[in-house]
Amino acid sequence: MSKNYYELTYIINPVLEDDQYEEIVEKFTEFIRDNGGEIDEVDEWGIRKFEFEMDKKTSGYYVNAYFNAPGELIEKLERALRIDDHIMRYLTLKYDAKMLRHRELQRKNAVPTVFVDDEEEEEEDED
Protein backbone atom coordinates (compact mmCIF):
# COMPACT_ATOMS: atom_id res chain seq x y z
CA MET A 1 0.00 0.00 0.00
CA SER A 2 1.61 3.24 -1.12
CA LYS A 3 1.57 6.36 1.00
CA ASN A 4 1.20 9.90 -0.23
CA TYR A 5 2.23 13.16 1.41
CA TYR A 6 -0.61 15.42 2.57
CA GLU A 7 -1.14 18.81 4.15
CA LEU A 8 -4.27 19.27 6.26
CA THR A 9 -5.43 22.67 7.46
CA TYR A 10 -8.44 22.89 9.74
CA ILE A 11 -10.14 25.62 11.73
CA ILE A 12 -11.44 24.99 15.24
CA ASN A 13 -14.28 26.97 16.82
CA PRO A 14 -12.64 29.89 18.73
CA VAL A 15 -14.92 29.82 21.79
CA LEU A 16 -13.20 26.79 23.37
CA GLU A 17 -10.74 26.70 26.26
CA ASP A 18 -6.99 26.27 25.58
CA ASP A 19 -6.94 22.67 26.83
CA GLN A 20 -9.84 21.82 24.50
CA TYR A 21 -7.80 22.99 21.48
CA GLU A 22 -4.99 20.65 22.56
CA GLU A 23 -7.44 17.75 22.94
CA ILE A 24 -8.89 18.28 19.46
CA VAL A 25 -5.46 18.59 17.84
CA GLU A 26 -4.30 15.43 19.65
CA LYS A 27 -7.52 13.62 18.64
CA PHE A 28 -6.91 14.17 14.91
CA THR A 29 -3.17 13.57 15.19
CA GLU A 30 -3.87 10.20 16.85
CA PHE A 31 -6.58 9.47 14.25
CA ILE A 32 -3.99 9.82 11.49
CA ARG A 33 -1.45 7.63 13.35
CA ASP A 34 -4.01 4.96 14.26
CA ASN A 35 -5.08 4.62 10.62
CA GLY A 36 -1.61 4.06 9.16
CA GLY A 37 -0.41 7.64 8.79
CA GLU A 38 2.93 9.09 9.88
CA ILE A 39 2.87 12.65 11.22
CA ASP A 40 5.66 14.86 9.88
CA GLU A 41 4.71 18.13 11.60
CA VAL A 42 1.74 19.74 13.36
CA ASP A 43 1.81 23.53 13.35
CA GLU A 44 -0.75 25.37 15.50
CA TRP A 45 -1.18 28.91 14.18
CA GLY A 46 -3.57 29.91 16.97
CA ILE A 47 -6.56 32.21 16.72
CA ARG A 48 -6.72 34.24 13.50
CA LYS A 49 -9.32 36.77 12.39
CA PHE A 50 -11.41 35.93 9.31
CA GLU A 51 -11.84 38.31 6.41
CA PHE A 52 -15.55 37.37 6.32
CA GLU A 53 -17.85 35.96 8.96
CA MET A 54 -18.01 32.16 9.01
CA ASP A 55 -20.71 30.31 10.96
CA LYS A 56 -21.45 33.64 12.73
CA LYS A 57 -17.85 33.75 13.99
CA THR A 58 -15.17 36.34 13.15
CA SER A 59 -12.14 34.23 14.08
CA GLY A 60 -10.97 30.63 14.39
CA TYR A 61 -8.11 28.52 15.76
CA TYR A 62 -5.98 27.34 12.83
CA VAL A 63 -4.04 24.07 12.76
CA ASN A 64 -1.81 22.85 9.92
CA ALA A 65 -0.61 19.22 9.78
CA TYR A 66 1.81 17.52 7.37
CA PHE A 67 1.75 13.73 7.13
CA ASN A 68 2.29 10.60 5.02
CA ALA A 69 -0.72 8.33 4.72
CA PRO A 70 -2.48 5.82 2.48
CA GLY A 71 -5.17 7.35 0.28
CA GLU A 72 -7.94 5.42 2.06
CA LEU A 73 -7.24 7.38 5.26
CA ILE A 74 -8.27 10.71 3.75
CA GLU A 75 -11.92 9.74 3.29
CA LYS A 76 -12.14 8.54 6.91
CA LEU A 77 -10.31 11.61 8.21
CA GLU A 78 -12.49 14.07 6.31
CA ARG A 79 -15.62 12.29 7.54
CA ALA A 80 -14.38 12.60 11.13
CA LEU A 81 -13.66 16.31 10.56
CA ARG A 82 -17.16 16.85 9.09
CA ILE A 83 -18.82 15.11 12.03
CA ASP A 84 -16.90 17.00 14.75
CA ASP A 85 -18.97 20.02 15.89
CA HIS A 86 -15.85 22.00 16.85
CA ILE A 87 -14.33 21.91 13.35
CA MET A 88 -15.53 24.86 11.27
CA ARG A 89 -13.66 24.17 8.01
CA TYR A 90 -10.89 21.93 6.69
CA LEU A 91 -8.81 21.53 3.55
CA THR A 92 -6.69 18.52 2.58
CA LEU A 93 -3.99 18.83 -0.08
CA LYS A 94 -2.19 15.90 -1.70
CA TYR A 95 1.37 16.93 -2.59
CA ASP A 96 2.72 16.30 -6.06
CA ALA A 97 6.46 16.14 -6.89
CA LYS A 98 6.82 19.91 -7.26
CA MET A 99 5.10 20.59 -3.92
CA LEU A 100 7.29 17.95 -2.23
CA ARG A 101 10.46 19.68 -3.53
CA HIS A 102 9.17 22.99 -2.18
CA ARG A 103 8.40 21.37 1.21
CA GLU A 104 11.96 19.99 1.38
CA LEU A 105 13.32 23.49 0.70
CA GLN A 106 11.07 24.87 3.45
CA ARG A 107 12.51 22.39 5.93
CA LYS A 108 16.05 23.49 5.05
CA ASN A 109 15.09 27.20 5.10
CA ALA A 110 16.34 27.37 1.52
CA VAL A 111 13.26 28.59 -0.36
CA PRO A 112 14.54 31.02 -3.00
CA THR A 113 13.26 34.58 -3.06
CA VAL A 114 11.26 34.85 -6.25
CA PHE A 115 9.73 38.28 -5.80
CA VAL A 116 11.43 41.19 -4.05
CA ASP A 117 9.50 44.27 -2.91
CA ASP A 118 10.58 47.59 -4.39
CA GLU A 119 11.26 48.85 -0.84
CA GLU A 120 13.59 45.91 -0.16
CA GLU A 121 15.49 46.60 -3.38
CA GLU A 122 15.89 50.27 -2.42
CA GLU A 123 17.21 49.31 1.03
CA GLU A 124 19.73 46.91 -0.52
CA ASP A 125 20.84 49.59 -3.00
CA GLU A 126 21.42 52.07 -0.16
CA ASP A 127 23.67 49.61 1.70
Side-chain angles (χ1 to χ4, degrees):
M1 171 177 14
S2 72
K3 292 187 177 185
N4 299 308
Y5 195 78
Y6 296 94
E7 177 180 350
L8 169 67
T9 303
Y10 55 99
I11 306 171
I12 303 172
N13 191 329
V15 298
L16 304 176
E17 298 294 326
D18 288 343
D19 58 330
Q20 289 177 296
Y21 293 129
E22 291 174 19
E23 288 173 15
I24 292 170
V25 171
E26 188 60 32
K27 171 185 169 182
F28 288 108
T29 302
E30 286 303 314
F31 186 92
I32 292 168
R33 283 191 188 117
D34 293 345
N35 286 281
E38 300 165 13
I39 297 291
D40 182 30
E41 179 184 351
V42 176
D43 186 16
E44 296 182 43
W45 297 352
I47 294 181
R48 301 285 172 115
K49 190 171 177 355
F50 299 146
E51 188 67 32
F52 299 98
E53 209 172 82
M54 188 185 319
D55 298 338
K56 299 183 181 175
K57 306 277 188 299
T58 58
S59 63
Y61 189 89
Y62 282 75
V63 179
N64 209 29
Y66 300 93
F67 59 96
N68 285 301
E72 302 81 46
L73 167 66
I74 302 306
E75 187 177 343
K76 296 176 190 174
L77 177 61
E78 289 184 347
R79 182 174 190 282
L81 289 161
R82 265 192 311 275
I83 290 172
D84 194 306
D85 291 334
H86 299 301
I87 303 298
M88 297 173 66
R89 297 283 191 283
Y90 65 88
L91 176 68
T92 309
L93 299 175
K94 178 182 172 184
Y95 275 36
D96 61 9
K98 186 176 182 179
M99 293 169 72
L100 280 170
R101 284 192 303 272
H102 182 77
R103 177 75 179 137
E104 287 302 318
L105 290 173
Q106 278 181 324
R107 283 194 196 131
K108 297 175 186 173
N109 288 328
V111 178
T113 304
V114 179
F115 299 105
V116 179
D117 286 346
D118 291 335
E119 291 176 11
E120 290 178 16
E121 282 182 2
E122 289 172 10
E123 288 174 9
E124 288 174 6
D125 291 341
E126 289 173 4
D127 292 339

